[in-house]
Amino acid sequence: MKGTQDHATLAEVFNRDEDRVDWHDGALWWIRQKRDRSANLTPQWEELREAASAIKSNVISNLHDYLLQFEENLKKNGVKVYWAADAEEHNQIVYKILSDKNINQMVKSKSMLTEECHLNEYLADRGIDVINSDLGEYIQQIDNEPPSHIVLPCIHKKKEEIGELFHEHLGTEKGLSDPTLLTRVARNHLRNVFMTRRAALTGVNFAVAETGEYVVCTNEGNADMGAHLCEVQIASMGLEKIIPERKHLGVFLRLLARSAIGQPITIYSSHFRKPRPGQEMHLILVDKGRSELLARPDFRDSLKCIKCGSCMNTCPVYRKSGGLSYHNTISGPIGAILAPNLDMKKHADLPFASTLCGSCTNVCPVKIPIHEQLYKWRQVIVKEGYSASRKTFSMKAMALTLSSPEIYNTAGKTGRWILNHAPFAINNKFNPWYKQRDMPDSPEQSFGEWYSKNVKKS
């Protein structure tokens, strides 16, 4: 149902709870401020951003070679490597790995790629139970919701709501909402999951072509628990996660956590290279629209994204509308760039869910010109005929009005007359601007009339 509604409709639902909106807005802005303080205390912050952007530009321009180098080194390290063109192929590979070992339960750490692929649902339909071990994603899972944020999956939920979910699903005392106690309950529950599941899946934050290793960054240690206790370890990785050499990790690890939540570094930056004796390691390289994005010169820079979520934390639209209003796995400004590449018609509304203020570009650690790419997507969407008919008509009417002084002056006089004598024609539920704000009082004269009058007097 939600997937069939546009951003404006879903945002309106979110905005009905004003207290939640204010809390969501304030929480994310607090994180943005932490990011600023952390960045200002880091020597050569802008040089680090420039270096990260340059490294990623090099990767994008030589992606084929780096991926083949990475694959070769993975195999030397004893890792089984697979290539998946799309979500269906990725899910089939994971299912075959598990079914070949007669495994019907798996634990998963945070992986936005598997959320893109709807892996949990795919495996559940085939009798395989998957538990998300990241606390935020686990909360979203038991509430049957997708993550609303890359780094903070349940940032839109209040502790009282989480307490009710835990009461229903984990048997906690009704009314319990203390975050520390709720976390302890979740930890005890998930420890049993880690100890009993034979297979574990992780995402990949960075993959090093030079060494054939990959790095997973967490603050909870859940990726380590799953990977080290399982018989079968699986990693799902988007093609863009590659970096050339291990020394480059020093650049990205300094940027990632500071940009995400304002802390110096993630608590766990875990390097995976070889399977331990008796364990299998599998890595799946997934395209799922990445190659198509690479072929779009205006948008290929979005492949630099390291999924820190800083653009979401600063975006005034995201903060006021919530992540689920974007009806796409990756929400916020970066999601509004990535989504139309996958399905332009379905996600044609998302690039318009922006003020184009440029705050997202200012905080991006790899210097993606996000607001510029959103503007370019708008142009492409309109050109391809996917913009809403109402928006297309209104823009054409506006273009005609602004191109003709006579029409412009007449429209201004008409508008002022309506505001003075028939305000209900504008101040009604059919005017989206009126839903959240009061229309201004009508001026007595236009600037042009005032200017002409005063010039004549002088």
Side-chain angles (χ1 to χ4, degrees), residues 199-322:
L201 185 147
T202 73
V204 173
N205 288 96
F206 306 104
V208 184
E210 176 190 33
T211 59
E213 68 186 292
Y214 60 92
V215 179
V216 181
C217 302
T218 71
N219 276 331
E220 300 171 22
N222 54 308
D224 288 9
M225 290 285 288
H228 293 318
L229 294 172
C230 69
E231 299 173 22
V232 178
Q233 180 183 349
I234 306 170
S236 296
M237 169 188 153
L239 301 183
E240 79 283 5
K241 295 293 187 177
I242 208 88
I243 62 173
E245 300 176 27
R246 177 185 269 187
K247 67 181 182 181
H248 296 141
L249 284 170
V251 174
F252 291 100
L253 291 177
R254 294 181 72 189
L255 288 167
L256 177 60
R258 288 177 170 88
S259 298
I261 52 177
Q263 68 186 43
I265 197 166
T266 50
I267 305 301
Y268 301 91
S269 295
S270 307
H271 297 240
F272 297 99
R273 187 169 182 177
K274 294 182 179 181
R276 69 172 189 273
Q279 185 191 50
E280 292 182 9
M281 282 182 68
H282 305 261
L283 187 138
I284 310 168
L285 290 153
V286 186
D287 189 326
K288 199 179 184 299
R290 273 81 171 166
S291 294
E292 185 178 348
L293 192 60
L294 185 65
R296 297 181 185 270
D298 287 339
F299 306 106
R300 64 193 311 217
D301 270 3
S302 58
L303 289 171
K304 294 180 179 181
C305 178
I306 60 173
K307 302 297 188 294
C308 68
S310 60
C311 61
M312 302 176 185
N313 302 336
T314 196
C315 176
V317 176
Y318 176 90
R319 298 200 320 263
K320 290 289 189 179
S321 61

Side-chain angles (χ1 to χ4, degrees), residues 155-168:
I155 185 65
H156 61 295
K157 288 190 182 300
K158 297 182 178 180
K159 59 184 181 181
E160 291 79 12
E161 295 172 299
I162 296 171
E164 284 301 307
L165 285 171
F166 278 29
H167 171 68
E168 178 182 352

Side-chain angles (χ1 to χ4, degrees), residues 22 53 75 85 135 168 194 203 218 236 259 268 310 317 326 337 340 378 401 455:
D22 292 343
S53 182
K75 290 180 177 178
L135 180 56
E168 178 182 352
F194 289 127
T218 71
S236 296
S259 298
Y268 301 91
S310 60
V317 176
Y326 287 80
I337 296 172
R378 294 183 184 187
T401 301
V455 165

Side-chain angles (χ1 to χ4, degrees), residues 115-155:
E115 293 294 329
E116 285 183 57
C117 296
H118 304 290
L119 176 66
N120 289 16
E121 297 86 345
Y122 180 93
L123 294 178
D125 290 342
R126 289 154 181 80
I128 296 178
D129 180 56
V130 181
I131 295 291
N132 292 335
S133 61
D134 175 88
L135 180 56
E137 284 203 329
Y138 177 71
I139 292 167
Q140 291 297 91
Q141 183 180 18
I142 62 177
D143 199 28
N144 295 313
E145 276 188 348
S148 71
H149 190 286
I150 294 175
V151 177
L152 310 159
C154 64
I155 185 65

Side-chain angles (χ1 to χ4, degrees), residues 11 14-26 158 319-321:
F14 185 77
N15 274 265
R16 289 172 188 164
D17 187 342
E18 292 188 16
D19 289 340
R20 184 189 303 277
V21 173
D22 292 343
W23 175 82
H24 186 262
D25 179 35
K158 297 182 178 180
R319 298 200 320 263
K320 290 289 189 179
S321 61

